[in-house]
Structure formats: structure tokens, C-alpha cells
Amino acid sequence: MIVAGTATQTLAGELAAEAGRDLATVTTKRFPDGERYVRVEDDLETAIVVASTVSDEDHVELIQLQDAAREAGADRITTVIPYLGYARQDRAFDSGEAVSSRALARAISTGTDRVLTVTPHETAVCEYFDVPTTAIDGSQVLAGPLPELTDPVFLAPDEGATDLAVTVRDAYGGGETDFFRKTRQSGDEVSIEPSDASVADRDVVLVDDIIATGSTMAQSVDILTDREARRVFVTCVHPLLARNAYSKLVRAGVAAVYGTDSIERTVSDVSVAPVIADHLE
Ligand code: R5P
């Protein structure tokens, strides 16, 4: 049975339908002091716990769901983390810093036999888990919501996203690919060094793994607009869209924003359930 986290209900439902599994009844409530109570009400033999870890609360709930699944009888647990939070702090950038992705991976590993995650920021974070862990490529579904495009360029806003742009181009069925170079100044400030891509009168699809503050995408849209791109579409696997990220993109003049349901947002136009289902045992 599928055991769904509070923040991942839609995707868990899609996955249940896609994989032909039942959804377990999960009760959560708050104690007066704010702590969360979690109970799985069905008897389980195996469990697929599905929970993105967007917030600290999601992390705590995930660990509780794993424990509740064991208490409900599951002798094998697969943990599906469509969006793996803290993946960007994947090393100590300064002395004394927590390697947050490693710390959380170790904690999650204690409650599961296997982990599946979708397009983590760096695939190498899978090695921090103490159980077999697979990174599934979520970018393969991103071409789905795109309209018909005119002479398209699939553009990565930094070099690290080039493979994603190529995957989306291939899934769309044609077009050029290119990439910009990005330097991050602070949490929400970046500088983009554009390539000499010729985009005038062409549709451009920007592809990244995640939109967090929206600075990377908004600056890229600005550059492309200055270069007279016909329309600029923004697509990503994980539409985190923190704070005013969405309005930044609208102000920059984006034609549309598309993301997957790894994080439930209004732009979550396409589901990663089919690609996750392919990896279930
Ligand atoms: C960074 O390397 C990632 O691939 C994204 O480009 C980045 O996290 C996006 O962040 P933001 O939306 O805050 O610019």
C-alpha cells in the first residue's frame, strides 16, 4: 500500500492509480504543544511511503510515516521522496558546517529498505543513504505541457542543467540546445553570463532542476527578452517557488511556467508518477 505524506497527496494518488496500488488511510493530528501524531490505520505487508521533504516538518513527518508503516506490519518499506530537500547543502562549504543532505539521508535510511528520489540537485547525494537509493530523471516528463513551438531553443540557465535541457528537447522531438553560465552571489542573487545563442523570433524553453527564489530564471528571461525571443517558457522538475518567485517570473515576462507534482504548486502541470511507477518493485 501507498502511505502518503501530507504535502504529497496529489502525487501519491497519481502513483496509486499508475501502479495499481491502494492508498493507506493515514491520520495525522497535532498535540496541544504542536507536535505531530501520525497513525497508519490499515494492516500492511509492504509499504511505499511517498513524501516530498519541502519543509522541516515534512522531514519529521516522513520519519514518523516510516515508523508508523513498520508498526502497521510492513516488513519491507520503499521510501519515495519526489523532492529531496536539503540536497543543495551536499558538502561543507566552510569549516564546521553541517553536511545537511548527509545528516538527513542517514536519518531517513534508518526507517526504510530502499529510497527512490527524483532529480536530486546532485546525484551523488544518493551515496549518503545507507540503503540502496536510486535517482530517477524527472525531466523526461517536462515536454508534456509545452505548446507547439517555433524554431525552439532549449536552454539551461547554468551548465549543470544542460543534460536536463537535452532530455526535454529530445522528449519534445526537436530543437537546439544551449546553456548560460551562472555565478551565485548569495541565496537569492545570481549573475548570469549569457552565451551568444541567437534567439530572436524563436521560442525559448528554459530548463532547470528547481526554481527556488526564481532569480536564476527571471534573469535568464530578462536576457532572452532583450534579445527579442518570441516567447520564453520556464520549466523545471521541482517548482519550489519560494516567497515571490512566481511574481518575479511574471514580471520578467515569461509566457508560462511549468513544473511537476514533486512539489504541489499551481504550476504542477505534469506528474512524475509514471516514471516513479516504473521503478517500483
Ligand atoms: C542551482 O544550481 C540549481 O540548479 C538552480 O538553478 C537553483 O537552485 C535555482 O535557484 P533560484 O531559483 O533561487 O535562482
Side-chain angles (χ1 to χ4, degrees), residues 38-196:
V38 172
R39 179 174 175 228
V40 173
E41 298 193 21
D42 301 273
D43 294 328
L44 306 180
E45 290 175 2
T46 60
I48 301 164
V49 175
V50 182
S52 285
T53 50
V54 180
S55 67
D56 290 358
E57 290 202 342
D58 295 337
H59 276 96
V60 174
E61 189 194 58
L62 170 59
I63 286 165
Q64 289 176 299
L65 288 168
Q66 292 173 324
D67 204 61
R70 287 268 191 241
E71 287 293 322
D75 61 9
R76 180 160 175 82
I77 296 178
T78 296
T79 299
V80 179
I81 312 173
Y83 170 68
L84 179 66
Y86 283 95
R88 285 172 288 177
Q89 184 73 23
D90 58 353
R91 62 191 167 94
F93 298 90
D94 214 340
S95 61
E97 283 184 356
V99 181
S100 306
S101 58
R102 184 183 61 200
L104 290 160
R106 286 173 176 165
I108 291 165
S109 298
T110 61
T112 193
D113 299 287
R114 180 183 179 219
V115 172
L116 299 176
T117 189
V118 178
T119 314
H121 180 60
E122 292 289 347
T123 308
V125 299
C126 292
E127 288 163 23
Y128 287 145
F129 290 87
D130 298 321
V131 293
T133 297
T134 304
I136 300 168
D137 177 11
S139 66
Q140 53 193 298
V141 303
L142 287 177
L146 290 172
E148 193 174 330
L149 302 169
T150 300
D151 195 11
V153 184
F154 293 82
L155 188 71
D158 63 40
E159 202 170 351
T162 306
D163 288 352
L164 304 182
V166 170
T167 300
V168 179
R169 188 275 310 273
D170 291 349
Y172 177 76
E176 199 181 327
T177 59
D178 204 336
F179 65 90
F180 288 170
R181 290 181 202 278
K182 177 176 79 178
T183 311
R184 183 167 287 284
Q185 260 88 41
S186 69
D188 57 4
E189 283 176 315
V190 294
S191 64
I192 303 274
E193 187 193 321
S195 68
D196 55 7

Side-chain angles (χ1 to χ4, degrees), residues 167-239:
T167 300
V168 179
R169 188 275 310 273
D170 291 349
Y172 177 76
E176 199 181 327
T177 59
D178 204 336
F179 65 90
F180 288 170
R181 290 181 202 278
K182 177 176 79 178
T183 311
R184 183 167 287 284
Q185 260 88 41
S186 69
D188 57 4
E189 283 176 315
V190 294
S191 64
I192 303 274
E193 187 193 321
S195 68
D196 55 7
S198 147
V199 297
D201 298 324
R202 304 174 74 181
D203 284 332
V204 180
V205 180
L206 283 161
V207 185
D208 208 349
D209 58 337
I210 178 172
I211 302 173
T213 67
S215 299
T216 302
M217 287 299 205
Q219 281 200 34
S220 302
V221 175
D222 282 342
I223 291 164
L224 294 164
T225 304
D226 284 350
R227 293 183 174 188
E228 299 180 340
R230 182 171 177 270
R231 294 177 295 181
V232 183
F233 298 91
V234 160
T235 186
C236 69
V237 178
H238 306 299

